[in-house]
Amino acid sequence: MPSNEGPHVLQAVPRVLVIGGSYSGLAATVNLIDLCNGKQPRFTSTPSDVVSSKSKLPVDITIVDERDGYYHLIGNPLAFASDDAASKSWTRFQDIPALKLPNVNFLQGSVASIDCENKAVSIVDTVTKQYRQGKYDYLLVASGLRRTSPVVPQALNRDQFLAEAKSHTKAVRDAKEGVVVIGGGAVGIEMASEIKTIEPWQKVTLVHSRDKLLSAEPLPDDFKDRSLETLRETGVEVILGQRVTETTAVQSDGEPTSWNLTLSSGQHITAGHVIAAISRSTPTSSYLPPAALDKDGYVKIDASLRFNSDVPNASSHFAAGDIASWSGIKRCGGAMHMGHYCAINIHQDMLKNRYGQIPTYKELSFFPNIMGLAVGKKAVVFDSTNGTASGEDQMAAYFGNDLANSICWNYMKLGQAVAV
Ligand SMILES: Cc1cc2nc3c(=O)[nH]c(=O)nc-3n(C[C@H](O)[C@H](O)[C@H](O)COP(=O)(O)OP(=O)(O)OC[C@H]3O[C@@H](n4cnc5c(N)ncnc54)[C@H](O)[C@@H]3O)c2cc1C
């Protein structure tokens, strides 16, 4: 918990508050740890990433998250189809080797408000439900988007999550009349194909209201067509151009045993389990002053990831990941890259304040639209340089064999303890 004592200018140790311990928040944390240990940030991959100063600096980092751990969100379609994958998807913060440091603290809570002028935070502790107040010198807003179940788990701790994932996989397994997934966006496609891959005997149908899958995505038709073709190859039945207008429970002994779905064409289909993969995601930014947000609730940032608004102390307030208003389809890779740059810019600021060093800030460039979709054993990917590609080789490169759980974990080096 950040200290609530004393004006921040007198603090010898800068206090960094990170809201959200997922891809962007953890990427910022681990890279800032490196920088403050006098090392190059671990995400350094090109000569242009190399930072000038190697001085050690004291820092105190607090991560506040509603959850008690890091959840590999990308892997949710697999975690909700396989108990084994679920158990590897959620790691309590206290169990992450790279974060076991005396100057890295965790607080399980939901940020209720931020006072930019006084650099003060109010947090509702998840466990005690009590309000806690604190102060910070730098804030990183990395709390992403609010999404509904089963697109993301609603559990806030690991044990509850395992129970939630288990009840989902059981419902899928027990669905004698097959599974219907409603919604042909990225999540619906991945959920349908993961179920079919893990339980090949199960009948899986995906219903989408438009004539093409991924209809809301700013991506070329050949990517959408390839995704459809690959999804059908997995054995998922796809119904396009039909809305589900009614879902009625078929009861036996007062318990729903299956569902009767009416489509806009009048056609009826039966399902043992229905998954609504139509999640309207909304930014989790309600704790920030409205002036910091754009009309849709995303945090306005400049290229150095600082708040781009006239809120007080905007230059020590940063935002990264899905919650930030920036170009491109929201992606985990982009979120981690933003976290990396936040770490560098916060560190440059600290050096300026401590040693008067002239800062060199990193600036984000435009993010093009990129998408990688795991569809059964293959991935379908699009980027503006190479266009659409698909295959098992793409799957290995983009997702490995665990929907990128190991790729993300290893990229952030979360398994490696830091020598102090
Ligand atoms: C099912 C699914 C599959 C996906 N697949 C891919 C993929 O294959 N490739 C890809 O690149 N991207 C994928 N994405 C998108 C990717 O997951 C996001 O871009 C990424 O999670 C963004 O990371 P983030 O750190 O910004 O936020 P998030 O990962 O959303 O994390 C936000 C964190 O903040 C916490 N939080 C929220 N509100 C508060 C609060 N008020 N106080 C405290 N803590 C709070 C949450 O508990 C969470 O831990 C997928 C998304 C979903 C839902």
Side-chain angles (χ1 to χ4, degrees), residues 123-143:
I123 302 165
V124 182
D125 187 300
T126 304
V127 180
T128 64
K129 309 288 178 228
Q130 300 293 310
Y131 276 87
R132 302 179 66 162
Q133 318 299 327
K135 288 243 192 181
Y136 57 86
D137 299 300
Y138 296 94
L139 178 73
L140 172 58
V141 171
S143 56

Side-chain angles (χ1 to χ4, degrees), residues 10-325:
L10 297 180
Q11 288 280 329
V13 180
R15 299 158 300 185
V16 179
L17 176 64
V18 178
I19 309 177
S22 182
Y23 307 107
S24 52
L26 291 190
T29 302
V30 292
N31 283 289
L32 188 57
I33 291 169
D34 294 339
L35 286 159
C36 290
N37 278 336
K39 295 182 186 150
Q40 288 297 325
R42 66 191 66 193
F43 283 9
T44 306
S45 61
T46 63
S48 67
D49 285 343
V50 174
V51 291
S52 55
S53 170
K54 291 198 179 160
S55 320
K56 281 197 176 196
L57 272 182
V59 67
D60 189 75
I61 303 173
T62 298
I63 298 170
V64 52
D65 198 299
E66 293 173 347
R67 299 178 180 145
D68 74 350
Y70 157 63
Y71 180 58
H72 177 59
L73 181 57
I74 291 179
N76 197 58
L78 177 59
F80 271 16
S82 148
D83 296 339
D84 181 47
S87 78
K88 294 175 182 149
S89 299
W90 185 302
T91 312
R92 289 186 189 100
F93 292 121
Q94 69 207 45
D95 297 331
I96 297 177
L99 301 179
K100 287 185 185 179
L101 288 165
N103 60 340
V104 178
N105 315 292
F106 308 105
L107 178 73
Q108 194 186 356
S110 180
V111 172
S113 67
I114 288 292
D115 171 354
C116 297
E117 182 156 15
N118 295 303
K119 294 189 173 177
V121 59
S122 176
I123 302 165
V124 182
D125 187 300
T126 304
V127 180
T128 64
K129 309 288 178 228
Q130 300 293 310
Y131 276 87
R132 302 179 66 162
Q133 318 299 327
K135 288 243 192 181
Y136 57 86
D137 299 300
Y138 296 94
L139 178 73
L140 172 58
V141 171
S143 56
L145 306 180
R146 184 85 52 208
R147 298 175 168 102
T148 52
S149 170
V151 171
V152 300
Q154 303 299 303
L156 296 179
N157 68 50
R158 183 178 148 82
D159 292 342
Q160 284 169 3
F161 160 70
L162 292 176
E164 185 178 344
K166 218 181 185 99
S167 84
H168 196 272
T169 43
K170 183 174 182 318
V172 164
R173 242 176 255 137
D174 293 352
K176 293 201 182 62
E177 311 221 32
V179 176
V180 170
V181 177
I182 305 173
V187 174
I189 294 171
E190 290 197 341
M191 289 192 95
S193 58
E194 287 305 326
I195 293 170
K196 193 70 196 169
T197 306
I198 304 285
E199 315 276 357
W201 50 268
Q202 183 58 282
K203 182 182 178 204
V204 183
T205 308
L206 182 140
V207 184
H208 186 57
S209 57
R210 304 302 178 96
D211 292 334
K212 283 201 186 291
L213 292 177
L214 300 156
S215 46
E217 301 292 353
L219 293 168
D221 280 354
D222 73 326
F223 176 76
K224 298 176 183 181
D225 294 341
R226 188 82 64 89
S227 301
L228 173 63
E229 195 183 301
T230 314
L231 182 62
R232 284 189 164 140
E233 273 174 26
T234 67
V236 172
E237 288 180 27
V238 183
I239 300 175
L240 292 173
Q242 304 267 353
R243 272 182 312 108
V244 176
T245 54
E246 206 179 337
T247 305
T248 319
V250 179
Q251 312 262 349
S252 164
D253 294 333
E255 291 288 315
T257 51
S258 61
W259 304 89
N260 192 339
L261 282 74
T262 309
L263 305 185
S264 41
S265 61
Q267 185 189 341
H268 291 272
I269 51 176
T270 311
H273 183 59
V274 180
I275 296 172
I278 15 178
S279 160
R280 243 186 60 75
S281 31
T282 49
T284 53
S285 56
S286 55
Y287 54 81
L288 287 171
L293 311 177
D294 72 10
K295 64 175 177 30
D296 299 314
Y298 293 89
V299 184
K300 293 183 282 187
I301 56 164
D302 64 17
S304 71
L305 296 114
R306 290 180 172 81
F307 281 21
N308 188 16
S309 45
D310 55 7
V311 296
N313 298 312
S315 65
S316 38
H317 290 76
F318 292 76
D322 282 7
I323 200 166
S325 173

